[in-house]
Amino acid sequence: MAVNSTVVLTLILLALMFGAGVTSSVWGFTIGREALQGTTQPDVRPSNNAGSGKPGTTASKDQVSILKEKDILTTVKARVEGRDPEKTAQANTKTEKASSKPAAAKKPAAQNASAKFPLNSRDGGITLEVSAASQRNNSMLLDVSMKNEGSQAVRFLYSFLNVTDDRGRALSATAEDLPSELPPNGQVYYGTVSIPTALLENAKEVSLTLTDYPGQKLQLQISGIPVAK
């Protein structure tokens, strides 16, 4: 039986290729193994000291301690001056701790609105005084008093009483029991000034201004009167 030459040639080529592949694989494996000789797998097991629970067992024995520049300068200065560096450092530490403590905040004294009274104004021998402020029903009441230590009687028209709040708003006010004419006898006359609370929204203080009638020569003014709550 005749053998086709093409088939024989194909089989020979296949055999040569297979042999070359096997040879290359063996050669590559051998070279790689020789190259990895002396290389071992890293130890990934947990350290025996990790679970011991003893503080400081995991710290490196060769850990470097870094000194502060301030401590170094303090030590050098102490040695130059002939002092003990350790005592100097301790004294500086105590000083820093003492200075770092915040100063005890002073408790502000409790301010009571009534502590501002009495408030008064004096002009031409006439004294106008506000002694108290209170709230009743829908009005704020100011307890006021007047006296004349001058030589002549003075008349007042209380519709000229000007009342404003700390925002500059003019307020409606009514004066009661105050004399229309103040005699020059030094006697104290008492009365009240009533201000509707509806007009005092968001106001903290009020001011009073009163002048004589009809001359309008006197200027009696009291400011900073706290609004009663």
Side-chain angles (χ1 to χ4, degrees), residues 110-119 226:
Q111 295 183 352
N112 188 354
S114 61
K116 295 185 177 182
F117 294 108
L119 301 171

Side-chain angles (χ1 to χ4, degrees), residues 28-149:
F29 177 78
T30 302
I31 293 176
R33 186 173 183 180
E34 291 178 356
L36 294 175
Q37 285 183 356
T39 303
T40 59
Q41 182 179 3
D43 188 6
V44 295
R45 294 175 299 173
S47 174
N48 293 332
N49 293 331
S52 62
K54 297 180 179 179
T57 55
T58 58
S60 173
K61 294 181 180 179
D62 298 332
Q63 184 177 3
V64 179
S65 177
I66 301 177
L67 299 178
K68 295 181 179 179
E69 181 181 358
K70 185 177 181 181
D71 295 340
I72 296 175
L73 295 176
T74 302
T75 303
V76 172
K77 183 178 180 181
R79 291 187 182 278
V80 171
E81 296 177 356
R83 294 180 285 116
D84 190 348
E86 294 184 0
K87 293 182 179 180
T88 303
Q90 292 177 358
N92 292 337
T93 302
K94 292 180 180 179
T95 303
E96 290 177 359
K97 289 182 177 180
S99 60
S100 62
K101 293 181 180 179
K106 296 182 179 180
K107 296 183 179 179
Q111 295 183 352
N112 188 354
S114 61
K116 295 185 177 182
F117 294 108
L119 301 171
N120 57 67
S121 175
R122 181 181 175 86
D123 188 14
I126 307 298
T127 301
L128 173 66
E129 182 175 285
V130 178
S131 57
S134 60
Q135 187 172 353
R136 185 181 305 169
N137 298 330
N138 296 324
S139 299
M140 184 178 81
L141 301 181
L142 301 179
D143 295 338
V144 299
S145 62
M146 300 180 67
K147 65 179 178 179
N148 183 1
E149 296 176 321

